[in-house]
Amino acid sequence: MEFAEAKDRFIQTWGTLATQWGINRTMAQIHALLMISPDSLDTDTIMAELQISRGNANMNIRDLIDWGLVFKKLKSGERREFFYAEKDIWKVARQVVKERRRREIAPVLAVLDELTSINTDSPEAAEFTKVISNISRVATFADATAGAALKAEETWLLTNFVKLFAR
């Protein structure tokens, strides 16, 4: 396989994979391109490489910056902005977990907490509260697990991941 084919295949595969973490395909393809680029890239280069519009590129780069996966770099003498991605895949994984926790788990926990404080003097309300409490326990467990993963070091994660599947 030639480099150009391997590069394209990686970018396409990363785009498909990342949709599983709540990132759209184009956003993930930009991320993949920046991860494998030895130098930071400007928007025009990203647009040309991925054959996307300026608006699409700018919107997705901004989102990647918001996710903490891509960073802006200014080069002296250049008016253009350049972008680069974190290349340490463990840092990338931890950042994705951190963002998903902030964007998905935290808001759900807040709503579930509100929902458990209803008056339970009817059978329907009692059943509702029971189900919401069960969901809340699972969401709290997911939050705690995500928190532990964020605090853990790579070796701890690998060791426990292997133990999990060695059983």
Side-chain angles (χ1 to χ4, degrees), residues 116-132:
T116 57
S117 62
I118 66 167
N119 186 349
T120 58
D121 51 353
S122 73
E124 292 86 3
E127 185 65 21
F128 177 83
T129 302
K130 179 181 162 189
V131 170
I132 295 300

Side-chain angles (χ1 to χ4, degrees), residues 1-10 33 36-38 49:
M1 182 182 299
E2 296 294 320
F3 170 69
E5 182 184 353
K7 176 181 169 182
D8 185 54
R9 192 163 174 195
F10 172 73
L33 176 63
I36 62 174
S37 297
E49 286 273 343

